[in-house]
Amino acid sequence: MRRKICAVVCAMAIAVAIWGCGRGADTRENSGMTEADAQGSGVESAEGQESDSMAGVDALTDAAGLAGTSFSILGDSISTFQGYNPVGYSVYFPEYGEVAHVEDTWWQRVADDLELTLYANGSSAGATVAGDSTETDNPQCGCNELRTNDLSGPEGACPDRVVIFMGANDMLQAVPLGTNDGTGLVEEGEVKTFSDAYTLMLDKVQANYPLAEIYCCTLPPMGDYGTDTPYVEFVNSRQLTSGDYGEVIAQIAGNRGLPVIELYHCGITVENLHEMTTDGVHPTTPGMACIAEAVKEALCK
């Protein structure tokens, strides 16, 4: 039912331009403004520099056609915060970890800095992409009906953008990568490989929100507690790292013509995981800031 509602609303958007789904891309194509063009110069005081920086963000946002548009998130624990996720979803922050204020999450930073409206934060702690795709009441599988139907806005409105940031738990649980490059058909049911599940998830998101721009995030480095750094890169039982799962995400997104948000090189490294995360996986406030900057840069292109 939600899928039908959102499809109808999105169709109405084409006819009467109510929702404006996807209009940001056209605006960006017509703009030649760069971040350097948008920012002022010659300000000496700290207060003046801060004002100048915010003016640059505002100008860049306006040039990219983002201000006043909407986005939704399909994610896992890294994107949760109590009171901001659907009822019945598992939440990690702020009870666990060190991110105590919603303003410090990566997604709220993006919303605030780019003047975006968050339609739905469909994130659940512990969720994998793989699993039973036919389930309608289990938030722990990213490719199922519940998760892919939970991204619309008020009265079924289609979001202008959907940011997908999932795969960490598949890596931690050593879900097989599989061989789907994003073009193979996937049957509904128990989807056991990461590439099949990610492909099916995109099939559903694109079908449900046909006018939304969809962005696929790779995964930051993830650590296993060691004695030297103090973290070493986590290698699962299949001898795979978050970088390996990120490469699959990038390949699938690329073959479908979808933009990739590269988080493996967002400023979080194995060497600084003790500062950027609390446990090698869940970001601290500085880690959230790194993710937010990468997302903002991608959205403004």
Side-chain angles (χ1 to χ4, degrees), residues 209-289:
Y209 315 98
L211 300 180
E213 298 177 47
I214 299 170
Y215 294 78
C216 299
C217 297
T218 64
L219 305 177
M222 296 184 184
D224 192 11
Y225 192 78
T227 57
D228 295 328
T229 58
Y231 286 98
V232 295
E233 189 163 32
F234 181 82
V235 180
N236 68 20
S237 61
R238 296 182 184 276
Q239 301 304 301
L240 300 170
T241 69
S242 62
D244 295 314
Y245 286 79
E247 288 178 2
V248 171
I249 292 171
Q251 179 189 44
I252 291 173
N255 286 338
R256 299 173 76 106
L258 302 177
V260 175
I261 301 176
E262 180 54 69
L263 296 184
Y264 196 76
H265 302 289
C266 71
I268 300 174
T269 67
V270 175
E271 290 74 23
N272 66 21
L273 277 172
H274 59 290
E275 298 175 353
M276 295 295 179
T277 71
T278 55
D279 55 6
V281 176
H282 296 95
T284 56
T285 296
M288 288 287 190

Side-chain angles (χ1 to χ4, degrees), residues 49-64:
Q49 290 176 355
E50 182 177 354
S51 299
D52 184 62
S53 177
M54 290 307 299
V57 171
D58 291 342
L60 186 60
T61 300
D62 291 340

Side-chain angles (χ1 to χ4, degrees), residues 71-97:
F71 75 116
S72 292
I73 303 164
L74 181 54
D76 52 32
S77 60
I78 294 174
S79 304
T80 62
F81 201 90
Q82 188 66 45
Y84 290 83
N85 307 109
V87 175
Y89 282 39
S90 298
V91 178
Y92 184 84
F93 294 107
E95 182 176 358
Y96 305 100

Side-chain angles (χ1 to χ4, degrees), residues 66 68-74 79 105-122 150-154 157-164 212-213 215 261 295-296 299:
L66 297 176
T69 61
S70 60
F71 75 116
S72 292
I73 303 164
L74 181 54
S79 304
T105 62
W106 71 263
W107 46 272
Q108 192 62 56
R109 287 172 179 266
V110 170
D112 290 343
D113 290 349
L114 300 185
E115 301 178 30
L116 303 180
T117 297
L118 179 63
Y119 267 2
N121 185 342
D150 260 356
L151 304 176
S152 56
C158 177
D160 292 305
R161 294 163 191 84
V162 174
V163 177
I164 300 176
E213 298 177 47
Y215 294 78
I261 301 176
V295 174
K296 287 189 293 182
L299 295 184

